[in-house]
Amino acid sequence: MTSPPPLPPWLTRVGVFDLETTGIDVTRDRIVTAHVGVLDHHGAEIAARTWLADPGIPIPAGATAIHGITSERAYRDGAPAPQVIAGVVAALRSLLDQGVPVVAYNAAFDFSLLAHEARRHRIAPLENPSPVIDPLVIDKAYDRYRPGKRTLEIVAAHYRVDLVGAHDASADAVAAGRVAQALAQRFPLPPSAAELHTRQIGWARAQAASLTDYFVRIGRIEPTERLDGRWPVRDGDAARQGASAGSL
């Protein structure tokens, strides 16, 4: 049995980031839990921080059904939202300032919602966060025609990455980081995290355009509507944000 190829040097230490939220609208919904960690070259988490926030609004039953956090628990045990958002932004900024890539599955959702939350609470947002690694975008780029959904659970299973406790911010963040490392051992990724970041911008734009055309054909959206393909941060002025693209 052959050993997997070695990881690129820039993937031997990566940050991981995930949010669980009140919903999928990046402009209006709020952070409920957040996780920022660091994985080593074995995929072991060597540093981690998890936050539980009181989002300041009721958590819909549908969101609670996904991540398990009720409004009552968030109000009782959560820290004030501005404190949590400032902590998450600071943790990510520290990693990026050190040149450590940050992995986030469907990164445009998490980074966009975090940016809107930061502005809502008058916290300086991350400006053009880079380098970011998005296993969803990479998987679609290198294995475009594989049938089936591309949720984190399904993609993790495809690359033989264990995901126990899906929709827990910690579990999802770590699994996403390990999927990124698995992708690097399967496909010829660019030689640097910076180049990969740049390529993902174009891939995400093309993927959104292709998905838009498909949705128009099946009547899911109007021909005048477009999914927002900006990555890794989307503004709130596009016709549709496409926040749930990772579930397709």
Side-chain angles (χ1 to χ4, degrees), residues 199-223:
R199 291 197 190 182
Q200 287 172 104
I201 294 172
W203 291 339
R205 186 184 304 116
Q207 289 163 10
S210 177
L211 190 57
T212 295
D213 292 342
Y214 171 70
F215 281 171
V216 169
R217 285 199 306 273
I218 67 174
R220 184 164 171 177
I221 63 175
E222 296 298 322

Side-chain angles (χ1 to χ4, degrees), residues 3-4 9 31 39 47 64 68 79 130 142 147 151 181 209 216 234:
S3 300
I31 293 170
L39 305 188
T64 295
S130 176
Y142 281 92
T151 64
Q181 292 177 328
V216 169
R234 298 188 300 250

Side-chain angles (χ1 to χ4, degrees), residues 17 19 21 23-31 85 88-89 92 104-120 125-126 128-129 132 134 228-238 240-243:
F17 167 48
L19 300 175
T21 65
I24 60 172
D25 186 325
V26 300
T27 64
R28 298 179 182 179
D29 279 303
R30 312 297 174 89
I31 293 170
I85 294 154
V88 174
V89 169
L92 291 171
Y105 197 85
N106 195 14
F109 173 75
D110 296 87
F111 278 99
S112 298
L113 195 146
L114 179 64
H116 283 284
E117 279 275 64
R119 295 187 185 102
R120 181 176 293 115
L126 296 169
N128 301 315
V132 172
D134 188 340
D228 189 344
R230 287 171 289 183
W231 182 96
V233 179
R234 298 188 300 250
D235 295 325
D237 57 354
R240 281 178 177 259
Q241 289 292 316

Side-chain angles (χ1 to χ4, degrees), residues 133-146:
I133 299 172
D134 188 340
L136 175 62
V137 171
I138 298 168
D139 180 53
K140 286 183 174 181
Y142 281 92
D143 200 356
R144 179 178 178 183
Y145 298 107
R146 189 176 78 246

Side-chain angles (χ1 to χ4, degrees), residues 38-65:
V38 178
L39 305 188
D40 67 11
H41 64 288
H42 294 299
E45 193 166 35
I46 56 176
R49 176 79 187 273
T50 299
W51 294 263
L52 171 62
D54 173 4
I57 63 172
I59 300 173
T64 295

Side-chain angles (χ1 to χ4, degrees), residues 13-19 34-38 47-51 83-103 111 114 123-126 129:
R13 181 170 176 261
V14 293
V16 294
F17 167 48
D18 187 71
L19 300 175
H35 183 86
V36 177
V38 178
R49 176 79 187 273
T50 299
W51 294 263
Q83 179 181 323
V84 169
I85 294 154
V88 174
V89 169
L92 291 171
R93 181 174 283 124
S94 175
L95 290 172
L96 295 170
D97 286 349
Q98 296 174 59
V100 177
V102 173
V103 178
F111 278 99
L114 179 64
I123 296 165
L126 296 169

